[in-house]
Structures are given as structure tokens and as C-alpha cells.
Amino acid sequence: MSFNRKPGGSADSGPPIGSVLSDLPPHISNIGTPAEPGESTGTVLLFVSTYCSHCIDLLPHIEAMTRRHPTFSFRLFSTGDEDDHRSMVDYFGWTFPVCSLDQSDMEAYFAVTYLPFAILVDDSGKVAAKGVIYNADEYEQLVKDYARHALA
């Protein structure tokens, strides 16, 4: 199962760079501990599906991604249910929130139409970088894009 691909491409997915994200949907439940205010310089929102082979391949690399950039607050949005998320958190030892969000809500609230997808938000709440990421190297490229945005 995967997203229906829209005309354009993965660069068209997600909210526009520089836009402010709206509040999270009220029905989102999460497992994990959010970062304390003032501890982070930005936020990473990572979107995955439990039905996406690229997403599943990325899961073992997420802990290293979070350790490499500890100043980012990290949140994973997954199509899995709470049992799936507890299993992932226990297995990988994640401490960040893992939130249930179905694919239609990923598109409705975040305009995400490709997976796995990351949105990096600066400390003012604006989208600073975004893109499809299949591995830690592509995540590192997004972090560089974020840094360029912060310097601009």
C-alpha cells in the first residue's frame, strides 16, 4: 500500500518552505516523551507507513539520526496503531513521541503525499526544509538545507 502519487513529484509534497504549520489534529495520540521547551532548536516531523517497504527500511536508522542532531525535537507520525508503536518503541529504544496518523490525515494536515517524508521546522514554527528520505544520508542533506535556511 502506498500513497497515490500526484502530478509533479515528491518536491511538491509537504507544506511550502517558509509556511507555518497549523496545530496538530486533536485526535492524534502519541507514545513517548516530547522535548522540553527550550531544549530544541527545531523540530523534525517524520512520516512513515507500516505498509511502505522504504519506511520500514528507514526505521532502524532513526535512532542514529536523532543522536546525530540532539538539538532537534523529533516526532514520528506512523499509520500504525498503538500496539505497533509500543513494539517499535520497545524494540528500537526510542524516547521521542510516535503518533498515529492515517495517510489521509497526513495529506490533509501536512500535504504529505510521498513516504517516507520529513519536514524540518525551525524554532519560529516555519517549515525550513522538507523531502523524501530513504536513508540517513538523505536526512543529513535535509539538515544541511535547514542550516542554509537558518543562515538566510
Side-chain angles (χ1 to χ4, degrees):
M1 182 179 214
S2 64
F3 274 166
N4 294 332
R5 300 204 176 218
K6 301 238 184 253
S10 61
D12 297 331
S13 190
I17 299 292
S19 65
V20 177
L21 289 182
S22 59
D23 290 335
L24 294 175
H27 64 279
I28 288 181
S29 61
N30 65 51
I31 297 168
T33 307
E36 292 296 320
E39 287 184 1
S40 65
T41 59
T43 302
V44 176
L45 307 177
L46 180 60
F47 300 85
V48 299
S49 170
T50 55
Y51 302 103
C52 164
S53 62
H54 293 294
C55 300
I56 293 166
D57 290 345
L58 182 64
L59 296 179
H61 304 282
I62 294 174
E63 182 62 25
M65 292 163 37
T66 63
R67 277 195 319 267
R68 188 167 169 111
H69 299 283
T71 60
F72 283 109
S73 173
F74 201 90
R75 180 171 279 180
L76 180 71
F77 293 94
S78 164
T79 60
D81 61 25
E82 285 199 27
D83 288 337
D84 294 331
H85 296 162
R86 285 190 203 292
S87 295
M88 287 189 278
V89 166
D90 291 344
Y91 183 80
F92 294 113
W94 295 334
T95 57
F96 52 82
V98 180
C99 307
S100 292
L101 194 63
D102 65 40
Q103 290 179 335
S104 62
D105 284 342
M106 288 179 188
E107 186 169 353
Y109 288 100
F110 299 100
V112 170
T113 56
Y114 286 80
L115 295 175
F117 196 83
I119 300 172
L120 280 66
V121 181
D122 66 19
D123 57 357
S124 70
K126 292 183 180 177
V127 175
K130 64 178 183 168
V132 173
I133 60 168
Y134 294 118
N135 55 51
D137 291 337
E138 290 177 345
Y139 174 72
E140 288 302 318
Q141 184 57 51
L142 274 185
V143 172
K144 288 177 185 175
D145 293 346
Y146 174 91
R148 278 194 292 276
H149 170 82
L151 295 174

